[in-house]
Amino acid sequence: VQLQASGGGSVQAGGSLRLSCVASVASGSGYIFSVDSMGWYRQAPGKERELVATITSGGHTNYEDSVKGRFTISIDNAKSTVSLQMDSLNPEDTGIYYCNSDRIGVGPKLRYSYDVWGRGTLVTVSS
């Protein structure tokens, strides 16, 4: 099982970007039957990785204080996809953004993968 993130890029302060992350399994390896909480984390240069936003399969959201009112996380359970709409970006939002899921269920053997991370996607905001 893997998470594939996309949508990073470079933007000027005040601009917007939309990140997406889809959970998938290799062809012939089965299918995804459940995805629990998914979220986005980021790591700025010289800093530790921090939570940006999370969302449960039921739609309950949690945001880091500095992004509240600017970022919106959403989930499409049917497509095993989580998105992050980022508006009013500022240079402090610069960093590598990582997608994460607490638990992904894979059939037909009904097995779970825990704490799954995707490769990061770079977001650069210039002043």
Side-chain angles (χ1 to χ4, degrees):
V1 60
Q2 62 180 358
L3 296 175
Q4 182 66 47
S6 61
S10 298
V11 64
Q12 290 191 329
S16 298
L17 285 172
R18 184 176 180 85
L19 305 182
S20 292
C21 175
V22 59
S24 65
V25 293
S27 178
S29 297
Y31 58 88
I32 293 175
F33 69 85
S34 70
V35 178
D36 289 358
S37 177
M38 298 187 75
W40 292 94
Y41 294 72
R42 67 187 177 190
Q43 187 166 16
K47 295 186 177 181
E48 295 186 352
R49 190 177 299 186
E50 65 175 0
L51 179 147
V52 175
T54 61
I55 186 168
T56 68
S57 57
H60 183 267
T61 59
N62 179 51
Y63 294 94
E64 193 270 329
D65 286 345
S66 71
V67 308
K68 288 179 180 178
R70 301 188 299 121
F71 291 9
T72 303
I73 190 169
S74 58
I75 192 168
D76 185 332
N77 291 309
K79 297 181 179 179
S80 302
T81 298
V82 62
S83 299
L84 185 68
Q85 177 66 39
M86 304 185 294
D87 299 318
S88 301
L89 285 161
N90 59 61
E92 289 69 38
D93 296 316
T94 293
I96 301 174
Y97 284 67
Y98 298 90
C99 178
N100 171 268
S101 176
D102 282 358
R103 188 177 76 165
I104 299 174
V106 179
K109 295 183 177 180
L110 305 184
R111 293 181 176 174
Y112 292 94
S113 293
Y114 295 88
D115 196 25
V116 182
W117 289 90
R119 294 184 179 181
T121 184
L122 179 62
V123 171
T124 304
V125 184
S126 57
S127 57

